[in-house]
């Protein structure tokens, strides 16, 4: 059995590894059908690094990635999420030719639901465009030095995908976000949970807090 299939059956699939790749010195391609991918890159290493297999430290405005996958069937009560932990700086993501995400910011993760774009045979194509003009000084400091060598507080240039990419198989109804708030003066702990995919009926959330082996509190929210 293919290793990728085993990972998905366990709920997770790492997409790190070889992707098709192309550098755009001056961005001109506007859609996946236009791109000319002429090499491979090892994700999640930035194309400026030796580990990526590209090692291009020049000045360029963007790059493109493509990965084709064969996934096992997703159950009727499941969804498939595509996660990017970090892409520098503007990222556009297409799945099976459909634009599914646009994200701005080189340090924050983002994700999208790609369930309905996977073909009946489990095949899909992921294309990522990453734009990062090294001469644009308005972006947050750190990732794009406009000089050949890093200086002052600026680091060596980092373009495109520079953290892990992965797929996650999740239930249709699930906890999408969990946030904790504490008040030490009143000895209180607050919790906010965002439920995704439920209509609000017949849903219960049970919360247990323990310190060591001791149960502090147990609540049920409807």
């Amino acid at each position: 059995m293919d290793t990728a299939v085993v990972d998905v059956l366990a709920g997770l699939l790492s997409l790190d590894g070889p992707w098709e790749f192309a550098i755009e010195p001056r961005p001109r391609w506007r859609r996946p059908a236009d791109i000319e991918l002429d090499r491979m890159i090892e994700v999640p290493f930035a194309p400026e690094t030796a580990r990526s297999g590209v090692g291009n430290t020049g000045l360029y405005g963007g790059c493109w990635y493509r990965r084709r996958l064969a996934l096992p069937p997703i159950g009727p009560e499941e969804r498939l999420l595509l996660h990017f932990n970090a892409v520098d700086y503007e990222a556009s993501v297409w799945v099976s030719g459909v634009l599914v995400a646009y994200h701005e910011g080189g340090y924050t993760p983002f994700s999208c639901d790609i369930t309905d774009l996977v073909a009946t045979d489990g095949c899909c194509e992921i294309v990522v465009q990453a734009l990062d003009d090294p001469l644009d000084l308005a972006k947050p400091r750190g990732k794009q030095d406009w000089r050949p060598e890093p200086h002052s507080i600026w680091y060596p240039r980092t373009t495109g995908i520079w953290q892990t990419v992965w797929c996650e198989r999740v239930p249709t109804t699930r906890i999408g976000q969990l946030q904790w708030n504490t008040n030490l003066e009143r000895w209180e702990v607050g919790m906010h949970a965002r439920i995704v995919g439920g209509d609000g009926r017949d849903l219960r959330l049970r919360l247990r807090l323990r310190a060591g082996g001791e149960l502090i509190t147990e609540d049920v929210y409807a």
Side-chain angles (χ1 to χ4, degrees):
M1 180 179 290
D2 186 87
T3 302
V5 174
V6 173
D7 288 343
V8 170
L9 291 176
L12 301 175
L13 169 63
S14 172
L15 301 185
D16 293 346
W19 288 57
E20 294 178 84
F21 181 72
I23 286 176
E24 283 193 279
R26 295 181 179 178
R28 65 190 187 278
W29 299 319
R30 301 302 179 192
R31 55 181 183 170
D34 299 332
I35 61 177
E36 301 169 5
L37 297 155
D38 57 359
R39 67 188 76 182
M40 302 297 291
I41 189 171
E42 191 75 11
V43 170
F45 301 103
E48 288 85 356
T49 66
R51 287 290 301 275
S52 71
V54 178
N56 189 327
T57 59
L59 298 175
Y60 45 89
C63 53
W64 288 79
Y65 300 77
R66 181 169 63 198
R67 176 82 180 264
R68 294 185 174 97
L69 301 174
L71 303 171
I74 303 299
E77 297 300 323
E78 295 178 328
R79 308 295 294 179
L80 186 64
L81 304 183
L82 175 61
H83 296 272
F84 293 85
N85 274 11
V87 182
D88 195 38
Y89 174 75
E90 298 177 46
S92 298
V93 181
W94 290 263
V95 175
S96 300
V98 178
L99 181 65
V100 294
Y102 171 80
H103 181 265
E104 183 175 310
Y107 300 91
T108 53
F110 63 98
S111 61
C112 48
D113 188 327
I114 66 171
T115 311
D116 299 330
L117 298 174
V118 177
T120 55
D121 61 359
C123 294
C124 72
E125 178 185 83
I126 301 170
V127 175
V128 180
Q129 180 193 39
L131 298 178
D132 197 3
D133 182 0
L135 302 181
D136 181 0
L137 306 187
K139 296 194 296 293
R141 286 176 176 258
K143 285 294 182 189
Q144 287 290 49
D145 196 340
W146 61 96
R147 298 182 183 178
E149 298 295 332
H151 71 287
S152 188
I153 69 168
W154 293 81
Y155 300 97
R157 280 179 297 281
T158 299
T159 306
I161 299 172
W162 65 282
Q163 289 194 22
T164 190
V165 184
W166 50 291
C167 281
E168 180 184 18
R169 192 178 66 176
V170 298
T172 300
T173 302
R174 60 193 183 275
I175 296 177
Q177 185 179 35
L178 194 62
Q179 179 178 342
W180 298 94
N181 301 296
T182 58
N183 187 323
L184 295 179
E185 293 181 355
R186 301 178 59 178
W187 287 92
E188 291 180 348
V189 177
M191 184 270 294
H192 173 77
R194 181 171 65 88
I195 306 299
V196 177
D199 58 9
R201 295 176 295 179
D202 299 325
L203 293 179
R204 300 289 187 274
L205 178 63
R206 183 183 299 275
L207 171 66
R208 293 190 181 98
L209 289 181
R210 297 179 181 273
E214 181 179 355
L215 179 66
I216 299 176
T217 184
E218 180 174 359
D219 292 311
V220 176
Y221 302 92

